[in-house]
Every structure is written in structure tokens, then in C-alpha cells.
Amino acid sequence: MQKIPTNSTPSPAKSELPLDLTGPHITAGASAAHRLYQALCEMIVDGLVKPGEPLPPSRTLAKQTGFRRNAVVTAYERLIADGFAQATVGSGTFVATRIPARAAEPKKPKAVVEAPRQGAFSLGCTHIDERAVQRFRAFVGRRMRAFGTEHLHYGDPRGSRELRAAIADHLLSARGLRCDPDQIMLTSGTLHALRIVLSAILKAGDQVWCEDPGYPAARKTIAHCGYRAVSVPVDEHGLRIARGRAAAPSARAAYATPSHQFPLGVQMSMPRRLELLDWAKAAGAFVLEDDYDSEFRYDGAPLMSLAGIDHLQRVIYMGTFAKTLFPGLRIGYCALPERLIADVTAARAALDRFPGTLMEGAVADMLNSGAFAANLKRVRKLYREARDALAATLEAASDGTLSVPVPSQGLHLVARFDPSVDLSVAAEAKQAAGAEGWLLADTYWRARRLPGFVLGFSGHAVPQLVASAERLARESRAALRAKSKSARRA
């Protein structure tokens, strides 16, 4: 350790330093040495002592501050190490002639990142039954008490086999998808899975079909990763395969939401599904099936997944627990064709090695114990009530201004104006109502944009949804009247 001079030689150093030991620059609860160091740095940076000016002896500063001398010595040692001070044995400790620029010129970050809002109509909100919370809490506690060596080293890039096996069983019973646990990979969500899979099957510049309108975050992810997203229109039967062939015949992948198209909510017809699979087989391409809310079907039996029809030959299936349990869990998964397991696993290992292990066992317990299915049954009833209340209120309160098809599946609905209405009407109504959710027009890319709203109903109290729906309907009528008057005057 470097010897700190005592400054015993008389010098013109200030006997009392202008130290602020309580300001915002001080870390509350930190050690005396650390707080003194912060105060000394602040004093030096503010120019309250000049470069080259001697600092008082450690005993003198200890007496001034009331700190022990060893705390002062430690603070001086750190000042010297960080370049704020310099010492000469026999002469003393002095303020450095040049202060480190990073400390002398502190900069506040300019970027402002806003957290997503959670008001009525926000998408991505969920509800979890209190009984499910209690079960999950118990499973987490049991797993922590049995803390094992699997948490003490790097794991399988695909995640724990126990949870992968539980997911494989769930997919077989719920989605008609038969796969081996070795074909499952855990991720932190759908977009994470998308990044991993695309990096394994594509090269920079390859084309990917994307639904239009569609999920903007997926399209942005594809473009951000260096691939070329290609707009393919959607109609009442789903993705228009012929238009995709015409726009990008050499595309290497297609991203689709066939069971419940986002945002329109249409289900891809069987002829269109078979046409998509035929294209993938002929082109040597892959289909990325985002089955984001398939568990929430309110009328009839669940639809078989596209991957189930394909038997995981050309389809890569992606799902998540963000909606079936809660978003903060950050656990998703993908089911892979056998031929892709090695390449996708290698891509995962190169990106972030392996998923977190602490929650895997508890989620597996939820699936295997029946608690997961029981929670789905209870919240599905809540979401159906919320859907019906929202749709009925919008239809009645809008007095024909909005058309609100009631979706048979999912956690959002679309409320539309007549296609002839100017897009600004929806934007003005949404802002005036203080509504969350999305503008329908914002989900379009190249296709003709239509006026309306994409409104989430899951995870919101029914009275809040009803009140917000009445306000949005009222502002929609007002915005439409104002636009009509303006058009007549013009």
C-alpha cells in the first residue's frame, strides 16, 4: 500500500476544507471513507480548492470531520489512485495539477426512456389468479430451499430439460404439436426467440415475409438484425401467399400469426395454411409461427397450430408465458425442426450462453401440477367478461361511429371507423380520451392504412374498461363531427 504523507511540515493548506458531507453527491449509508472521498471529489471538481494546493494532514481532517484517521487515510489513498490528488513523501498530499476529465466535466444522460403505460386498453397486461400466485410462491420457495449445483455453473443453452419436457407435454395437449423436449429451447420471449432463430437460418440481407398489418416489434427486430422485411398483405383468410410470392419469391422465411392474426384477429384458413407450407417446402424456407395468445380461445375448441399440421418440418413455433402467467417472468420458448437443433443451439450459446435457471423449476411445477391449467381456466373467464363489456360499451356508446367485431380468441379487439374516415380522426379521439392501446393505422406498413383502434382488455378492471370505452366513443363521435364540419367549410 502506498504510504500517505502526514503533511507534518507547515504549509499554506486550508485548516478547514469546505466539505459538503450531506449533499446529493453523497451515497447514504456508505462507509465514512467513501462519503469523505465523495465530498473531497465534489470539492475539487467544483474548484473550491485549486490544482496543486496542499490538503490538510490526515489528523487535522479527521478532527474537522469527526471521522477516524484511518477513514481519512483511506479516502486520501483513493483520491490519489483516481488521479484527484498526488503525494510526495515528506511534503504532503496535494490536489492534482490536472483533474480527470470524466469527473471534472460530469454529463447528464440525454436519452429519456419512458416505461410503457398501463392504463385501460394497454396491450400486454395480464391477470393471475391469487390461488395461482400462492402456488407459484410455494413452488419458488421449495426450489430455493432445495438450491442445487445446477445454478452454480453454465447450463444447457436450451434451458432445463425438466421445463422443456413440461412444455412439450403442454404443446401436445393444447396445440396438437408433438415434439421431443430436445426440440424445445427456452428464451426470454418471442422477440428473443426470433433473433436467435433468424441468426441461425439466415444470412445478412435475406428477405423475410411479414404480415401487413402486423406486429411492429417483430418487423423492427427483423430489420434491426440485418434482414429485409417484405410487406405481405393480410385479408379475411390470413396472409396472402400469392402476394408474398410476387413480392419476394426468393424469401428465406415468413413471420406469421396464423391462429389469431395481429392485429386484425383473423384466423388463417386451412387452404391458406397449406399454401404457406407448400411455399416453404418448395422454396427451402421456414415459417416462424408466433402463437402469442393461442391459449385464450373463447368459442369452440383450440385451433391446431401450424407447426402441428407441419409436424415441425418447415415451421418454427414460438410461444411465451408472458400472457398465460405474467410478463415479469420473462420466459418464452420455441419448438424447432430437428434439422435446426444444432445450428440454433450454437446461435443461442454465442448470443447469451443459456437462460436463467432460478424460475425454470417453479414454472415446470406449475405446468406439471395442474396449477397452470387451473389458472388459465379462471382468467379465461375474466377475460371473456372484459371482452364482452368492452365490445358492448363501444358499440352502444359510439352510436354507429365504430364497428367492433367481437374476437373469438386473444386479449385485444379492434374498433374501426368506416374506411373512408380520415386517419386523423382516430388519432385526435385517442388523444382527447387519454386512451392507451394503439392506433390501428400504426400497425400498417406498406398496405393502405385504416382508421381505428387496437384495444387490450386483459388485465384491466371491467369498470375501468367501461368508463374508458364510453370516453373513447364520445371523443370519436366528436372528432368525426369536427372533421365533417371542417370538410363542409372547405
Side-chain angles (χ1 to χ4, degrees), residues 296-468:
F296 298 102
R297 184 166 174 80
Y298 308 107
D299 304 306
L303 300 172
M304 178 176 283
S305 66
L306 188 65
I309 299 172
D310 176 62
H311 305 296
L312 279 182
Q313 296 299 307
R314 284 286 162 183
V315 178
I316 298 159
Y317 180 94
M318 299 182 296
T320 176
F321 291 107
K323 297 175 178 64
T324 52
L325 287 175
F326 51 94
L329 191 60
R330 299 308 299 147
I331 295 182
Y333 52 89
C334 57
L336 305 166
E338 188 174 354
R339 74 185 83 181
L340 295 181
I341 294 175
D343 288 344
V344 175
T345 300
R348 172 58 183 273
L351 286 172
D352 64 351
R353 286 188 180 269
F354 69 108
T357 58
L358 279 177
M359 293 293 106
E360 290 178 340
V363 176
D365 290 339
M366 288 289 288
L367 287 164
N368 293 330
S369 68
F372 178 82
N375 177 66
L376 275 182
K377 183 177 180 180
R378 288 190 286 265
V379 299
R380 191 182 289 120
K381 181 180 179 181
L382 293 177
Y383 294 164
R384 178 197 290 269
E385 294 172 355
R387 175 202 65 174
D388 293 345
L390 175 58
T393 302
L394 286 172
E395 283 277 16
S398 67
D399 194 24
T401 299
L402 293 171
S403 171
V404 191
V406 180
S408 62
Q409 181 173 312
L411 304 178
H412 76 271
L413 57 75
V414 175
R416 313 181 198 189
F417 291 90
D418 185 273
S420 63
V421 171
D422 191 275
L423 297 178
S424 63
V425 170
E428 291 167 5
K430 182 175 181 293
Q431 181 176 14
E436 300 298 331
W438 294 5
L439 291 172
L440 177 60
D442 289 345
T443 66
Y444 285 82
W445 181 21
R446 306 291 187 193
R448 180 197 172 198
R449 297 192 296 166
L450 297 177
F453 312 102
V454 182
L455 306 174
F457 53 78
S458 64
H460 302 296
V462 170
Q464 180 191 26
L465 284 174
V466 170
S468 298

Side-chain angles (χ1 to χ4, degrees), residues 254-324:
Y255 169 84
T257 52
S259 295
H260 184 232
Q261 200 276 332
F262 186 91
L264 300 181
V266 301
Q267 298 163 10
M268 187 180 289
S269 66
M270 184 57 70
R272 200 67 67 80
R273 290 176 181 230
L274 296 177
E275 186 181 1
L276 178 59
L277 295 178
D278 287 343
W279 164 78
K281 183 177 180 180
F286 290 95
V287 178
L288 297 113
E289 178 182 14
D290 185 350
D291 211 26
Y292 66 101
D293 61 5
S294 61
E295 289 88 353
F296 298 102
R297 184 166 174 80
Y298 308 107
D299 304 306
L303 300 172
M304 178 176 283
S305 66
L306 188 65
I309 299 172
D310 176 62
H311 305 296
L312 279 182
Q313 296 299 307
R314 284 286 162 183
V315 178
I316 298 159
Y317 180 94
M318 299 182 296
T320 176
F321 291 107
K323 297 175 178 64
T324 52

Side-chain angles (χ1 to χ4, degrees), residues 50 115 132 192 196 242 248 304 327 420:
K50 305 300 181 185
H192 186 217
I196 293 171
M304 178 176 283
S420 63

